Amino acid sequence: MPRITTLDLDAVLFDVGPPGRPTLPLTITPKVEASAGFLASWVQENDAWLRQKTIEHGAVRFRGFAIASAGEFETVLLGRDHELSNKYRGTSPRNLQPGTQYVFSASEVPPFLPIPQHIEMSFLPAPPRWLFFCCLDAPTSRGGETSLCDFRQVYEDLDPDFKRRLYEKKVMYSRNYNRGTRGFDIDLTKLKGWEVLFETKDKSAVEEDARQDGLTLEWKSGGDELRLTNRAEPFQIHPDTGHKVWFNHLQVFHQKMLARELRRAAWRAGSVFQWILSWLLFLISHLVFFARGPKNLGWHTMYGDGEEISTTDCNHLQDTIWKNMIFDRWQLGDILMIDNFAVSHGRQPFSGRRKVVVSWADPQAKANRPIEELTSSGSKKRD
């Protein structure tokens, strides 16, 4: 393929979708030059334009470029005007990729389980503004998509009474961690220990880190176990567009939602194994819930006052998310850049080979701006 020296917008091709409706994601493919070096230079030259298009479309995907390693992926990202971060306070196990500072395995959650849609680290005071994925080994079997969902549309589609209850009461997250890896636990939401989460065995450092993240900390079992709780707003207003966004981890951290998520994924994939597994998870999750109580689960979400969120409301939320989800197969070398304050991501179950890596950038404090239509005065105005 002949080399090209220009780095302007004419050097690549765009799939912009139907007129008047930005496609999710916007796809950019090579026109002449497809090397990793060209892409890194092109991204650096067009950073401001790329940032705007990521906001406009919710995500931008580069496809057909010769990205073959985590190092090449990181080089592309380092050319942008971003503060890449390697601080991770999420629940999924992740491994830093050799030879990089900011590239991690996307998740070490077992492949037969789905990862529900979520805004990355939405439960923290300052989630990353941008999220980046790269496919280094495309899935060889059905499944394995990193599904996307526009959480601005999810907000619009949710029942107004449900949104008002959440807005008035807020959400409360509860997470429990063991020390290190204590072997098998029937509670499958206990994915890693507190030493791994905070990257230290120093309890005073853990306490300080938790304080900075707005987390209430409680040591249990003589310091072997750790409980983290925090109260958060369920919605945010997009910092650039003003759209209202579903912005919390209820669909991930509610103990009873994983089984139903797997059942939906099994139905979509036509997998009898996953369907049977979903009912097994259903039984286990209910057993653990009633045996240990909500405060002692690996993770759980309640209303901010501690009241349980009804199964009806959880199902309504999940149905709304699935109605707006987008599935696309990974191809080798794909890079996906996501506006983490608008568009969620998840993972469909899979078997066989698959390697996707992730980076994130620009922690941004949530503004927690009031949403007039959900306040008491806003409700009276509509009436």
Side-chain angles (χ1 to χ4, degrees):
M1 181 179 288
R3 298 187 64 82
I4 189 168
T5 56
T6 180
L7 295 174
D8 59 23
L9 298 179
D10 290 333
V12 295
L13 300 172
F14 307 98
D15 178 5
V16 297
R21 184 181 179 184
T23 185
L24 174 63
L26 168 67
T27 299
I28 300 175
T29 55
K31 190 173 185 179
V32 177
E33 176 67 61
S35 70
F38 166 79
L39 181 58
S41 298
W42 188 91
V43 163
Q44 182 175 13
E45 179 69 18
N46 297 282
D47 181 61
W49 178 89
L50 187 56
R51 184 185 299 257
Q52 183 57 41
K53 287 301 177 183
T54 306
I55 293 170
E56 179 182 334
H57 290 263
V60 171
R61 175 176 57 203
F62 291 92
R63 171 161 284 176
F65 293 90
I67 307 298
S69 69
E72 290 177 335
F73 172 51
E74 186 173 67
T75 298
V76 172
L77 300 182
L78 288 171
R80 300 196 63 187
D81 183 20
H82 285 312
E83 179 191 341
L84 292 174
S85 173
N86 51 23
K87 179 181 177 180
Y88 177 57
R89 292 295 178 262
T91 53
S92 292
R94 285 178 174 169
N95 297 323
L96 182 66
Q97 298 300 285
T100 71
Q101 289 182 278
Y102 303 106
V103 180
F104 293 77
S105 56
S107 177
E108 299 298 330
V109 171
F112 57 82
L113 292 175
I115 299 176
Q117 294 297 127
H118 60 285
I119 299 287
E120 186 72 12
M121 294 184 255
S122 73
F123 49 89
L124 296 180
R129 184 68 180 82
W130 313 101
L131 194 63
F132 313 103
F133 289 98
C134 181
C135 178
L136 299 180
D137 195 353
T140 56
S141 64
R142 182 166 184 174
E145 300 96 336
T146 296
S147 45
L148 302 178
C149 183
D150 189 335
F151 270 20
R152 297 164 294 191
Q153 190 60 50
V154 168
Y155 173 89
E156 295 298 329
D157 290 349
L158 284 171
D159 175 69
D161 290 336
F162 175 49
K163 289 190 289 189
R164 198 170 298 115
R165 285 194 298 275
L166 279 170
Y167 184 74
E168 291 172 353
K169 296 185 176 185
K170 315 307 179 192
V171 292
M172 176 73 77
Y173 302 115
S174 173
R175 294 182 286 157
N176 286 276
Y177 296 91
N178 299 327
R179 179 192 289 275
T181 55
R182 206 175 61 178
F184 175 77
D185 194 308
I186 194 171
D187 185 351
L188 298 180
T189 62
K190 288 191 173 182
L191 296 174
K192 60 185 180 183
W194 60 261
E195 296 161 312
V196 177
L197 178 69
F198 288 98
E199 301 176 283
T200 181
K201 297 181 179 179
D202 185 342
K203 292 183 180 179
S204 61
V206 170
E207 292 166 359
E208 175 60 20
D209 213 338
R211 185 191 64 79
Q212 292 180 6
D213 284 338
L215 304 173
T216 300
L217 177 149
E218 177 187 353
W219 294 107
K220 304 188 302 178
S221 301
D224 282 344
E225 298 180 5
L226 172 66
R227 176 185 294 150
L228 299 173
T229 57
N230 65 300
R231 193 168 179 263
E233 293 286 343
F235 315 110
Q236 293 294 318
I237 295 178
H238 192 279
D240 296 293
T241 68
H243 287 97
K244 304 173 190 73
V245 184
W246 173 263
F247 208 98
N248 68 84
H249 256 58
L250 168 58
Q251 66 281 355
V252 181
F253 284 170
H254 195 284
Q255 177 76 8
K256 298 179 182 178
M257 292 191 78
L258 180 60
R260 194 169 187 265
E261 184 80 14
L262 178 55
R263 198 174 311 138
R264 297 201 70 143
W267 183 266
R268 174 179 174 268
S271 171
V272 175
F273 167 74
Q274 291 174 5
W275 187 83
I276 295 173
L277 181 61
S278 73
W279 284 106
L280 180 60
L281 281 177
F282 174 83
L283 294 174
I284 290 174
S285 63
H286 280 71
L287 174 64
V288 172
F289 184 89
F290 290 111
R292 297 185 177 179
K295 291 185 178 181
N296 296 308
L297 301 172
W299 65 52
H300 191 49
T301 309
M302 301 158 281
Y303 284 116
D305 60 4
E307 178 188 348
E308 285 297 318
I309 300 172
S310 72
T311 300
T312 299
D313 285 339
C314 288
N315 291 346
H316 166 59
L317 168 61
Q318 196 172 61
D319 291 343
T320 304
I321 290 174
W322 270 80
K323 183 180 72 173
N324 289 286
M325 281 168 63
I326 294 171
F327 304 90
D328 193 26
R329 299 282 294 171
W330 280 111
Q331 295 182 19
L332 181 63
D334 280 356
I335 291 179
L336 185 64
M337 300 181 172
I338 299 176
D339 178 352
N340 193 50
F341 272 59
V343 170
S344 71
H345 65 282
R347 189 199 70 188
Q348 296 303 295
F350 68 99
S351 60
R353 293 167 45 187
R354 177 189 187 271
K355 183 174 183 180
V356 176
V357 293
V358 66
S359 291
W360 53 93
D362 300 342
Q364 182 164 329
K366 295 185 291 190
N368 296 325
R369 292 160 54 190
I371 298 178
E372 177 65 21
E373 66 189 57
L374 298 180
T375 63
S376 299
S377 59
S379 300
K380 291 177 181 177
K381 287 179 183 178
R382 286 194 305 277
D383 295 338

